[in-house]
Amino acid sequence: MIDFSLSSELADLRDRTAAFVRDGVIPHEREVDAHGELPAETLAALRAQAREAGLYAPHVQKEWGGLGLDMRAISIVFEEAGYSLLGPLALNCSAPDEGNMHLLELVATEAQKEKYLRPLVAGTIRSCFSMTEPPPGAGADASMLRTRAERRGDRWVINGDKWYITGADGAAFTICMALTGDPKSAGQSGGRARHATMFLVDAGTPGYRVVRRIPSLDSGAPGGHCAVEFRDCEVGDEAVLGAVGEGFAYAQLRLAPARLTHCMRWLGAARRALDVAADYANTRESFGQPLGRHQMAQAMLADSAIEIQAARLLIWHAAWMLDTGADARHETSMAKVFVAETVNRVIDRALQLTGSHGVSDELPLAALYRNARPFRIYDGPSEVHRIVIARNVLKAAAIASAERHVHSAEGGEA
Ligand SMILES: Cc1cc2nc3c(=O)[nH]c(=O)nc-3n(C[C@H](O)[C@H](O)[C@H](O)COP(=O)(O)OP(=O)(O)OC[C@H]3O[C@@H](n4cnc5c(N)ncnc54)[C@H](O)[C@@H]3O)c2cc1C
């Protein structure tokens, strides 16, 4: 049975999150600096209020200081948090920390959880995730990974370059993805089967360095997007996250839910854009009547409302799949493509409807526009997700066709 009703506890949590974002967070949006960052003391105060209000770290298990929600409940709360670009930061559920917390909860040792997860959830440290590399390394195609960790004695020595690593400047540690297989046994094409491992590398480890912040269209991620390097960076076995050789499997473990939680937060941003556009359309007059009475304006508002609801349903379904224990790669890929493109369309329409005011920083739309655009690229560009989805569609069709042949052959024999 399909039931979209929320429990009274979850509806209450949703409403309290919405009120906190509206009354407690949005008034601070004007305090962000040129990098889109909030003053540290404001962020600390917001997090204290979120904690006090019982809204903090909704995605983390209770024993580590969170609310212990499942993915379906998270989708309700994250949408409300995403209504402001600062909401997820205030609740300590923004990327990349949120995805890292999830991965640490799943595969870290107890000692690693105490060292990294506990302070991350407490908000006393930040983290980053180092996967993407400059050409010819890993990008949309993760199997092009080149960063390598070699075994020397009882140590691992990491060498490689990464870039667009969100939050690296000021992060207390990074999760670094590196090849650990025997280079001689890697296939000619260096395919996905190659052996990779994730390492927890502390800031300050000799050989690990944040090279620079890379200026970009978006802002608002504490620590920016950075180029980082690993040069004979030595770590011990205690730095291995999970099992050696499981890096690509863990990347999926991290990315499938993480791409969906991105969708949840951005859905809130799309709703904000629609609300701003609708307010403007109700009050601004043109050609003798409010903008909202003109049918072309109405069509924009209606299309945005329809697409937001469709996006929400894709998220909820994929969240339910994840809650059942399914890997939900197909479903999270479909949600990622649709939500990323919907959010950009909705914000673009809102900006068009609000005219010059929409382009200015008087309204939140310009910031949303700048920050939402990269979502069509990170956590898998739309094109790559479409490839995965199409592959599944083709495979399903081939299986169905083979089954039809078997049935008709059996029918023929009878
Ligand atoms: C704001 C932002 C934050 C990021 N944060 C992080 C981070 O914290 N950690 C991290 O490791 N990485 C991060 N990234 C990097 C992100 O994961 C990569 O941008 C993404 O994986 C794509 O890799 P690439 O940029 O190298 O694109 P490329 O691999 O160079 O691809 C360029 C474009 O080609 C197209 N394309 C690629 N393959 C195909 C294909 N088969 N068919 C058709 N078109 C194709 C896509 O449109 C793609 O956008 C971030 C990126 C951005 C923009």
Side-chain angles (χ1 to χ4, degrees), residues 2 23 86 90 95-96 101 118 123 137 156-157 245 258 271 307 310 313 328 339 356-357 385 392 395 397 406 414:
I2 298 172
D23 304 332
L86 301 179
M101 290 179 209
R118 197 174 289 289
W156 294 96
V157 181
R271 245 181 56 211
E307 289 172 29
L313 294 176
V339 177
S356 51
H357 209 38
H385 285 295
N392 293 338
K395 192 172 158 193
V406 171

Side-chain angles (χ1 to χ4, degrees), residues 18-38:
F20 173 71
V21 171
R22 185 187 61 232
D23 304 332
V25 176
I26 288 178
H28 292 285
E29 285 180 346
R30 297 209 169 263
E31 291 173 41
V32 296
D33 66 15
H35 296 296
E37 289 189 29
L38 263 185

Side-chain angles (χ1 to χ4, degrees), residues 95-96 100 127-135 137-142 144 162-168 174-175 177 216-219 221 224-226 254-255 262 370-371 373-384 387 391:
N100 288 346
S127 65
C128 61
F129 185 75
S130 299
M131 173 85 167
T132 307
E133 300 168 339
D141 181 354
M144 291 166 72
K162 305 278 186 182
W163 70 354
Y164 297 99
I165 308 308
T166 302
T174 188
I175 298 176
M177 177 90 160
S216 64
L217 174 69
D218 65 328
S219 59
H225 307 302
C226 303
R254 180 185 185 281
L255 291 176
H262 266 308
R370 287 191 294 268
N371 282 282
R373 182 60 184 84
F375 184 37
R376 287 171 49 198
I377 295 171
Y378 60 72
D379 279 2
S382 292
E383 294 74 19
V384 174
I387 291 169
R391 211 183 277 146

